[in-house]
Amino acid sequence: MATKKKADKTVNFSKYIRWFWMLFGAGVVAFFLVFQLAAWGVFGEMPDHTQLENPSTNLAGEIISSDGVTLGKFYLSDNRTPVEYDELPKHLVDALIATEDARYHEHAGIDARGTLRAFAFLGKRGGASTISQQLARQLFVGEHSQNTLERITQKFKEWVIATRLERQYTKEEIIAQYFNIYDFGNFGDGIRSASRIYFDKEPKDLEIKEAAMLVGMFKNSSLYNPRPHRNPVGTKNRRNVVLAQMHKYGYITEAVKDSLQKTDLDLKYTPQSHNDGTATYFRAYLQEELKKWVNDPNNRKPDGSKYSIYKDGLKFYTTIDSRMQKHAEEAVKQHMPKLQAEFFHQNTKRRNPTAPFLDLTYGAIDTLMRNSVRQSERWRHMKYDLKKSEEEIRESFTKPVKMSIFSWKDGEYAEIDTVMTPMDSMRYYKHFLRTGMMSMEPQTGHVKAWVGGMNYRHFKYDMVKQGKRQIGSTFKPFVYAAAIDQLHLSPCDTLPDIQITIEANKYGNPEPWTPKNSSGKYGGTRTLKDALANSVNTITARLINEIGPQPVVDLAKSLGVEQDILPVPSIALGTPDLSVYEMVAAYSTFANKGVYTKPVMLTRIEDKNGTVLFQFSPETRDVLSEEAAYVTVNLLEGVTKSGSGMRLRHNTAGDQAVYKEIITGYPYEFDNPIAGKTGTTQNHSDGWFMGMVPNLVTGVWVGAEDRAAHFKTITYGQGASMALPIWALYMKSCYNDEALNVSKEPFEKPSELSIVLDCEKHRDSLKVLGKGKQDDDPEIDF
């Protein structure tokens, strides 16, 4: 009886074993069946070979400087620029493998050991997703569903795609793709953007602890956000876990692990938004130009669709030099706070009750502010986008709201959180002096630096090309150049410094025109060189009276001036409104031997595969003879030797307070040839300086938004005080950066020069203009 019971137990045990293997076999078959169903697309569309070869990801357009530095990017939501595997440092890859997939090089997309462990312990001892699976999810599957059944089918799809990826790509290519696809937060799409945003460096330059922090963010970049107001402690703890994993798998020693775990994150947070970074005004200008390019029917993809500057990974190679751009921005940043501090000092309520305006009645100020309201972006948005009535809009300008406003603090840009009415904020911003600056190679037309203002976030109006202001005496060289070209004048020829009246209607002027010298002094004679150096108005008036305004207008147009200029005598003193862009291009013609070269900002466009889509072609034209251009340059050199630009060279400050207060960086003590011209408009509303060396021409403008806001006296309001210091600071930085090769050589002299330049040596052969016939020269009656 006992034996029979024992036999029954054996039979029953065999049955269980049989059932186990049957169920196990069925499970294996079911697993592979579901796997195959997933591969066939039963659970949702699967990527084909073409999609695996070219996964659909948005790639930001990249703006690249002439020295190979990324200036910024164009993107809508994905700020992604891919890198190759060989651009990733070894310790970054080691950190990823140690943390995310220790057996990465041993499997073909699915880690069997890890998967069995995850099933056995229900994920409590870690997940089983390989790097290939995570890439599959990022590229094709998407975030895991909250529905259990859908989540299971998603996992099968990941497995299928992971194995296909492993067949399609090398292990190195998969790692590179994974680093490129991940969103690290704060617009850090992909490892290149993330390393630049969090540490301001390229991926190849990341240190071990920096690499560990970024790899740690793969777990959850929203949770492990290192910014101070988010989760720096949690991010540091997660980084230390990655370092521990690197030690566990032998990538770093215990000593290295222990020392690095004690360090801070040491972020250098550098946001990559359209409002921040280098060359913001230039990038905004370029963006508008590129929109025109993509809308041109001649610039289409092979399939006929438009390119996107935001999504197609285009590369825009520009002429901007990142080093010169930074020197230019730093020069503005050094000078403008000092100038602004003095402007605030002179425009306190006690000193100027109508601040920041001068010479305006309260009624005129009210009219000015009402006009400004109607021209504001807030008015446009409320009227056309929100469809508000004018009464509602006007009322909104009087209601206090929370806002961040721009300020200078210890020489740095700063934002102040405050509450004020939009109307008060508009008047507050009208206190600020603005600036525009552009630097260009005259021979090539390549624009090397472009600073359209002080801070793009708060002052979006570009004062390089968009803004046009009265140019004052910087227009005078156009008059002199036209006279030299027509009359073959020498810088040493002399004219009487006495007032001249050009009768009404002689040149379309409705009234007699009698210009005055700014000094109010007259008498004697002056050479052309001395007259231009000291910006003597009577001499310029005599020149335009002799040749007429129309040849001057024609010359200005040939020099690239886009603005229509009325051919009347008063233009000689700089009444037209022109842009810094136009002025730099025009002056560059003098430095380029009389040949105008249209400014160039973009040299070529490439697609993400390196195919050239656009190649720049230079535009040039002969405007002046080489001799006339050189003589004009010679005249302009006199400005910096003995005229209004003399402070570039000599320490002439004495005890003058203005030098200590606003002539930033003085003394400059340049000793190389420099041609230049200052410009100051009526009431000192605009200050200009145009400066040239043989291979670089730079123009600077400074002034307030409204011409009624200005310094009281010319001491502070002249171009030599407002604009010249920015030029000087910029050029000193360029010269200190020897790799830039900015010239200190003399301007090249024409091989044949018939016009006398040495006034002492050829004193007897010179014309005394306006005094009748001199020797064998024809009489020129001024």
Side-chain angles (χ1 to χ4, degrees), residues 398-443:
T398 63
K399 292 181 178 180
V401 294
K402 291 182 179 180
M403 62 178 70
S404 293
I405 58 174
F406 173 85
S407 182
W408 291 107
K409 184 178 180 181
D410 301 325
E412 298 287 337
Y413 305 131
E415 284 191 347
I416 299 173
D417 292 329
T418 186
V419 175
M420 64 169 61
T421 68
M423 179 67 82
D424 287 341
S425 74
M426 288 184 66
R427 184 147 182 174
Y428 169 78
Y429 277 110
K430 288 184 181 295
H431 282 76
F432 282 93
L433 298 173
R434 319 291 177 88
T435 187
M437 175 183 182
M438 184 175 122
S439 193
M440 172 176 143
E441 284 182 354
Q443 292 77 22

Side-chain angles (χ1 to χ4, degrees), residues 105-129:
H105 289 290
E106 300 170 14
H107 61 69
I110 301 174
D111 181 5
R113 286 171 56 185
T115 301
L116 289 173
R117 184 195 64 228
F119 274 122
F121 297 98
L122 301 177
K124 293 180 180 178
R125 294 192 180 181
S129 287

Side-chain angles (χ1 to χ4, degrees), residues 624-641:
L624 290 167
S625 68
E626 184 178 350
E627 183 179 46
Y630 181 76
V631 173
T632 304
V633 169
N634 182 268
L635 283 168
L636 292 168
E637 285 186 273
V639 175
T640 67
K641 290 178 180 178

Side-chain angles (χ1 to χ4, degrees), residues 170-181:
T170 65
K171 289 285 188 180
E172 291 75 17
E173 289 172 332
I174 289 173
I175 283 180
Q177 284 197 60
Y178 187 48
F179 273 116
N180 286 327
I181 197 64

Side-chain angles (χ1 to χ4, degrees), residues 675-689:
K677 186 70 188 80
T678 57
T680 309
T681 61
Q682 190 172 14
N683 295 329
H684 343 115
S685 296
D686 304 275
W688 289 80
F689 184 73

Side-chain angles (χ1 to χ4, degrees), residues 491-565:
C492 309
D493 291 335
T494 59
L495 291 95
D497 181 12
I498 57 177
Q499 282 190 283
I500 177 176
T501 296
I502 298 178
E503 60 270 25
N505 300 313
K506 181 176 182 179
Y507 294 115
N509 48 308
E511 297 178 356
W513 184 60
T514 307
K516 299 177 181 179
N517 289 336
S518 59
S519 65
K521 298 177 181 179
Y522 308 92
T525 60
R526 289 180 182 266
T527 64
L528 294 186
K529 178 171 278 192
D530 177 73
L532 185 61
N534 293 282
S535 212
V536 180
N537 291 339
T538 56
I539 307 299
T540 311
R542 289 178 181 277
L543 290 175
I544 203 167
N545 185 48
E546 178 62 23
I547 61 175
Q550 190 60 54
V552 178
V553 172
D554 293 341
L555 175 61
K557 286 290 184 181
S558 298
L559 293 172
V561 170
E562 301 166 352
Q563 192 81 357
D564 289 333
I565 300 176

